[in-house]
Amino acid sequence: MNNAETIKARNANPFEVLQAVKRAASQGMESLNEDDLFLCKWLGLYTHRHEKDYFMLRTKQPNGFVSPEQLDVIADIAEKQNRGFADITTRQDFQLHWVHYKDAVGILERLSAVGISTLGACGDILRNVVGCPVAGVDREELFDTSITAQKISDFFLGNLEFANLPRKYKISVSACQTQCIHPEIQCVALVGARRRIGDTEELGFDLRVGGGLSTQPFLSQRLQVFVRLEETMEVIRHITEIWRDSPEYRQKRHHARFKYLIHDWGLERFRKVLEERLGKALDSTPEDFKEPPDTFRDHVGVHAQKQPGLYYIGIPVLVGRITSAQMKRMADLSRRYADGKTLRLTNRQNLLLLNVLEANVEKTLAGLSQVGLSINAHPIRRSVVTCTGTEFCKLAITETKARSRQIVEYLEKQVPLEEPLRLHITGCPNACAQYQIAHIGLMGSKTKVDGQIVDAYDILVGGQLGSAAAFNHPLVRKVPASECAKRLKQLLLGFKRQRKEGESFPAWCTRVGDAKLVALLTQEEEHPLTA
Ligand code: SF4
């Protein structure tokens, strides 16, 4: 019986593992048995790859909400106990590293005191509910969906009825025009929609189900139903119950994903079962519902809010790694120049400062630049997404953060670009950095160079989101990591030379074809190729 089966067999309260972590503080890590360590994930604690006495700790920040007070506490913990930095994740959370087992309970208590929970940040449970980070202030949004994201999060937080799902489970909520939160890859995505009944306009959600990445990626599919705002919680609860109550997805861990349920059942059967549980038929989404084109989805830069005189500022955080000094400065700037309440984490591992007074925008930007943060970023710097890699992750094949930083710093010097270009770098096929949706994805592997095993990456191109959503595909495999920056430079210079006016990177890739892309990636001497 494996760990997962053990939990299911005894129907344990996974959150009780906190007692074991408390005991470990005095008795040592050895006092945590295999099951305890497995259940620690439900508290947001993973053991480190190399250092047996340390955890990685993940917080939960619904919709990416973070207050200056919370940011100060994260910064302080990072500075005093975790070597001075935190990582922002693709689910709008923080990850703290180097959490010593003796400090873990104290850190959880400090976080809890400022309203940060870690319950369900990991484990077979609903993970952080992600949402558009500019919900409520975006001038183009259909409506503010952060209220729904918070409601869903509150309902499931610490809820034992839903603490033991077949496997992890992910929900997004958004109604912005760009669909920045990537509903295409969520188990369940609520996407803002509008319909007209007679003279009345009604707001609600278009429902998508069955997205997910990992080693076998699926794009979510539109169930073609319109969920009214007042029925949202009921619909989400029933969908989650269907997932929880499907024992066939508890048999094999590699098949225990909601995406497989949708794939195996098909949309028709799933809708029928959902409607039976609801005891009513769902309405259909209006036919004029449109999916957005693929563009920047990151909210970087200075943007006027729907509230007159107020601005939000989106700041790229390279590879999502932010220092204590930077976090403290952001908290301070929010108090000094904004409303002192509202910051948001993004799923592209960046940070936003909301409600900045117009007269304070320049002063805020100056304050950011003093700690090395700038909105004037190359498209690759603003878009790059990386996972944890061998630095801390036990499943990793390659180091990611330092290598990604080096690749970005090289490319921004070598290849001037204006257009959106998403680069995602992931340390193994598990795809935490979501490499399959990238315009250029790097997936970690190993290769031999001069008889030595070294880090390498498969290079994939052509991922798209929105109306033409598609996963990328591999062009070359096992490129030594030290060569990746140069290879990508060749590819991107080829794009710059050969693209037609207004042509996007994915469109160019499709037009020139794989053989020419491979030639660009593998040429030994740089020379202009014609398409
Ligand atoms: Fe670890 Fe792999 Fe996930 Fe990266 S993708 S964090 S290496 S499991």
Side-chain angles (χ1 to χ4, degrees):
M1 190 177 277
N2 66 26
N3 284 322
E5 288 161 343
T6 310
I7 296 178
K8 290 165 185 73
R10 71 183 192 207
N11 203 16
N13 173 352
F15 308 128
E16 281 175 359
V17 75
L18 182 61
Q19 298 309 322
V21 180
K22 281 184 179 165
R23 189 183 65 238
S26 55
Q27 296 180 10
M29 278 292 265
E30 300 72 35
S31 71
L32 294 173
N33 63 32
E34 201 191 336
D35 268 0
D36 293 332
L37 289 172
F38 184 70
L39 288 172
C40 275
K41 295 177 189 175
W42 274 252
L43 295 180
L45 293 167
Y46 280 95
T47 46
H48 258 199
R49 179 186 179 95
H50 303 293
E51 309 285 337
K52 75 173 180 53
D53 288 342
Y54 291 88
F55 290 109
M56 180 207 86
L57 183 154
R58 186 181 298 148
T59 68
K60 257 179 143 179
Q61 318 283 150
N63 208 96
F65 291 147
V66 58
S67 69
E69 186 191 16
Q70 291 174 338
L71 199 53
D72 272 339
V73 167
I74 300 263
D76 197 53
I77 293 168
E79 184 180 340
K80 297 194 174 120
Q81 293 167 289
N82 311 130
R83 306 197 180 182
F85 68 90
D87 288 336
I88 301 170
T89 76
T90 53
R91 289 204 79 74
Q92 298 175 291
D93 301 317
F94 284 112
Q95 277 180 185
L96 290 164
H97 303 284
W98 301 109
V99 173
H100 195 273
Y101 72 88
K102 289 186 178 168
D103 299 333
V105 172
I107 289 174
L108 290 172
E109 286 169 355
R110 276 196 78 188
L111 294 172
S112 175
V114 288
I116 296 177
S117 177
T118 64
L119 287 188
C122 317
D124 301 334
I125 191 167
L126 174 66
R127 302 295 183 85
N128 192 42
V129 179
V130 293
C132 173
V134 292
V137 306
D138 177 18
R139 295 207 291 191
E140 308 292 321
E141 72 181 357
L142 215 44
F143 60 98
D144 180 359
T145 53
S146 65
I147 299 148
T148 304
Q150 186 71 61
K151 253 195 215 169
I152 295 172
S153 182
D154 291 347
F155 175 77
F156 287 101
L157 186 70
N159 186 335
L160 283 176
E161 271 189 64
F162 297 93
N164 181 5
L165 300 178
R167 195 85 191 264
K168 62 183 167 187
Y169 172 67
K170 300 174 178 180
I171 295 178
S172 74
V173 193
S174 55
C176 64
Q177 296 298 315
T178 59
Q179 287 307 323
C180 64
I181 210 65
H182 306 338
E184 299 92 339
I185 57 169
Q186 310 293 329
C187 299
V188 180
L190 294 165
V191 177
R194 164 168 50 198
R195 70 175 176 180
R196 185 161 284 285
I197 301 174
D199 290 340
T200 314
E201 185 179 90
E202 188 179 14
L203 297 171
F205 292 106
D206 184 63
L207 182 62
R208 300 182 69 110
V209 290
L213 296 178
S214 193
T215 50
Q216 191 180 13
F218 288 88
L219 289 166
S220 65
Q221 300 176 69
R222 293 182 55 219
L223 199 57
Q224 308 279 352
V225 299
F226 182 87
V227 179
R228 298 197 313 277
L229 293 183
E230 61 271 23
E231 63 187 4
T232 307
M233 288 307 299
E234 194 190 359
V235 168
I236 290 292
R237 184 167 61 78
H238 281 294
I239 292 174
T240 312
E241 283 176 358
I242 291 172
W243 176 227
R244 182 195 62 191
D245 301 341
S246 297
E248 63 271 36
Y249 293 96
R250 293 180 185 266
Q251 306 305 318
K252 294 180 189 145
R253 199 148 171 84
H254 70 271
H255 200 66
R257 293 295 181 95
F258 188 71
K259 63 187 178 187
Y260 291 120
L261 182 147
I262 296 298
H263 181 255
D264 298 345
W265 288 18
L267 291 181
E268 199 178 322
R269 175 180 166 196
F270 179 75
R271 180 169 175 172
K272 187 165 171 284
V273 172
L274 176 59
E275 289 178 337
E276 278 168 8
R277 282 187 174 248
L278 285 163
K280 64 180 179 187
L282 288 160
D283 294 343
S284 293
T285 313
E287 282 175 9
D288 61 355
F289 179 86
K290 285 204 174 48
E291 298 189 51
D294 197 6
T295 181
F296 280 119
R297 289 188 172 197
D298 59 8
H299 305 295
V300 163
V302 177
H303 303 267
Q305 298 183 186
K306 64 167 75 163
Q307 297 82 4
L310 294 180
Y311 287 74
Y312 73 83
I313 303 178
I315 303 117
V317 177
L318 185 54
V319 301
R321 182 154 291 179
I322 188 161
T323 65
S324 292
Q326 289 171 331
M327 288 187 272
K328 284 184 180 174
R329 176 60 61 94
M330 292 281 287
D332 184 49
L333 291 171
S334 173
R335 281 186 286 257
R336 248 198 286 169
Y337 298 135
D339 65 352
K341 293 185 201 149
T342 322
L343 297 111
R344 306 255 171 103
L345 303 169
T346 82
N347 61 334
R348 301 207 61 82
Q349 303 179 313
N350 296 327
L351 242 173
L352 308 184
L353 198 51
L354 273 63
N355 299 324
V356 181
L357 292 169
E358 186 169 9
N360 291 337
V361 167
E362 287 306 320
K363 286 182 272 190
T364 307
L365 294 177
L368 289 168
S369 74
Q370 287 167 358
V371 287
L373 295 171
S374 169
I375 59 166
N376 300 315
H378 188 281
I380 294 179
R381 178 178 283 261
R382 63 189 269 187
S383 80
V384 68
V385 166
T386 65
C387 73
T388 303
T390 49
E391 190 181 9
F392 302 112
C393 172
K394 287 182 167 174
L395 302 176
I397 299 171
T398 56
E399 192 284 328
T400 50
K401 294 283 185 191
R403 179 64 63 190
S404 302
R405 185 179 284 274
Q406 179 245 326
I407 290 172
V408 172
E409 288 172 350
Y410 178 82
L411 290 177
E412 63 190 355
K413 286 194 193 100
Q414 302 286 329
V415 191
L417 273 180
E418 298 291 329
E419 41 285 294
L421 201 131
R422 285 192 304 272
L423 173 66
H424 293 223
I425 301 177
T426 203
C428 83
N430 287 312
C432 300
Q434 306 169 344
Y435 70 94
Q436 297 100 326
I437 59 168
H439 294 145
I440 301 177
L442 265 56
M443 198 276 285
S445 66
K446 291 282 188 198
T447 193
K448 252 189 188 176
V449 174
D450 298 333
Q452 300 290 314
I453 305 281
V454 298
D455 279 6
Y457 284 95
D458 293 352
I459 300 179
L460 304 91
V461 305
Q464 290 196 71
L465 292 167
S467 47
F471 294 125
N472 53 25
H473 59 280
L475 285 182
V476 288
R477 301 221 184 245
K478 295 183 180 294
V479 177
S482 58
E483 286 184 27
C484 284
K486 190 183 90 180
R487 303 281 173 201
L488 295 185
K489 171 188 160 187
Q490 292 168 190
L491 179 70
L492 291 173
L493 288 177
F495 166 57
K496 280 181 69 78
R497 288 183 193 115
Q498 299 171 11
R499 70 184 294 224
K500 294 179 178 168
E501 196 178 337
E503 192 173 39
S504 68
F505 181 78
W508 171 75
C509 289
T510 306
R511 181 171 61 79
V512 301
D514 284 0
K516 284 184 177 157
L517 299 176
V518 171
L520 283 165
L521 281 165
T522 54
Q523 67 192 5
E524 285 313 315
E525 296 298 323
E526 287 168 29
H527 59 87
L529 289 186
T530 51

